[in-house]
Amino acid sequence: MTQLSAEEYVESLLTRDEQLEQVKEGIRSRSMPEISIAPGYGKLLTLLVKMTGAQRILEIGALGGYSGICLTRGLGDQGKLISLELKQEYADVAQQHLNEAGLGDKVEYRVGEALHHLQQLADEGQKFDVFFIDADKGNYPNYLEWAIKLANAGAIIMGDNALMHGRAMDPEQNGNAVTKMRQFNQSMASDPRLEGVVLPAYDGLAIARVR
């Protein structure tokens, strides 16, 4: 019998989540990229939102709404998620999935370039308690700077795919996205404005608290 990997083992401990499985099927049926976060990762997002008592969440990169559901599940009655998504068709699918999960009234999708919307959020004076970054890797350092600007004291910032399937650790890889991700990881771990760490799970999960 083949031994499970560490990630396979911990994932096997979780109960199947039918709502999230339906989201994955919805993504698959529309030929969207099947790159949603793993169930255990999603549960961690829900737990972190609950544990911090967050009421305002900003997500950068919606895809089909899988992570959006996980984040929103942790919110209280008055909580809200704002999700930035480049493509209208992805935002529409994500909204449908949040609606089906009974969470549609807690989310607002803003479609287009994330950097434009981040400036707009700053102009509106909006602040957030939790940030989840899972979008174009070459802009991760920019997204981090905006997250710090838009953060309430003690806010949590999370970045997905910090290891880029090993590319971030490979000295032979020096493309723009890899270089920017290394910059992001270094900032998450050592920027004096943050208390953070990069964990080698789920293709790298970077988590930091804004001081």
Side-chain angles (χ1 to χ4, degrees):
M1 186 174 181
T2 303
Q3 183 175 334
L4 298 175
S5 68
E7 188 169 316
E8 288 170 336
Y9 168 69
V10 297
E11 288 292 319
S12 74
L13 302 175
L14 300 175
T15 302
R16 179 182 171 91
D17 189 313
E18 293 299 334
Q19 186 72 60
L20 292 176
E21 289 300 317
Q22 289 176 22
V23 172
K24 289 199 291 187
E25 178 55 36
I27 289 171
R28 186 178 305 115
S29 68
R30 294 172 173 85
S31 299
M32 294 167 63
E34 295 184 46
I35 53 174
S36 297
I37 58 175
Y41 192 157
K43 194 161 190 177
L44 175 61
L45 296 186
T46 303
L47 285 171
L48 285 172
V49 173
K50 286 184 177 180
M51 291 165 65
T52 57
Q55 289 297 308
R56 302 269 303 165
I57 305 173
L58 180 63
E59 176 184 49
I60 304 176
L63 191 61
Y66 190 107
S67 58
I69 288 175
C70 296
L71 291 163
T72 308
R73 281 176 171 177
L75 287 171
D77 292 341
Q78 303 304 313
K80 182 172 184 180
L81 166 71
I82 292 181
S83 184
L84 310 183
E85 172 53 53
L86 179 64
K87 298 183 178 182
Q88 182 68 59
E89 59 266 35
Y90 288 5
D92 291 342
V93 172
Q95 180 71 70
Q96 179 182 332
H97 286 148
L98 267 288
N99 291 345
E100 292 170 352
L103 300 167
D105 61 336
K106 291 183 178 293
V107 63
E108 174 191 340
Y109 288 97
R110 299 195 180 192
V111 179
E113 292 289 344
L115 293 175
H116 166 76
H117 287 299
L118 289 164
Q119 179 64 64
Q120 189 174 58
L121 289 168
D123 293 343
E124 294 169 5
Q126 302 227 33
K127 294 286 187 177
F128 299 90
D129 306 306
V130 167
F131 300 82
F132 183 55
I133 303 170
D134 190 11
D136 53 310
K137 310 313 175 191
N139 264 316
Y140 265 43
N142 293 327
Y143 297 151
L144 177 57
E145 285 301 317
W146 275 111
I148 294 171
K149 290 177 185 176
L150 296 170
N152 286 320
I156 301 298
I157 301 172
M158 295 173 280
D160 191 24
N161 302 119
L163 301 182
M164 297 181 71
H165 302 289
R167 291 163 61 203
M169 301 175 288
D170 184 352
E172 300 299 317
Q173 297 283 336
N174 289 295
N176 179 67
V178 174
T179 301
K180 295 298 186 183
M181 183 60 79
R182 289 180 185 139
Q183 180 184 335
F184 170 83
N185 290 340
Q186 188 65 56
S187 295
M188 288 289 278
S190 62
D191 191 298
R193 298 170 293 178
L194 305 171
E195 301 172 89
V197 66
V198 180
L199 302 174
Y202 299 114
D203 192 33
L205 173 59
I207 307 177
R209 176 183 179 274
V210 180
R211 294 182 186 273

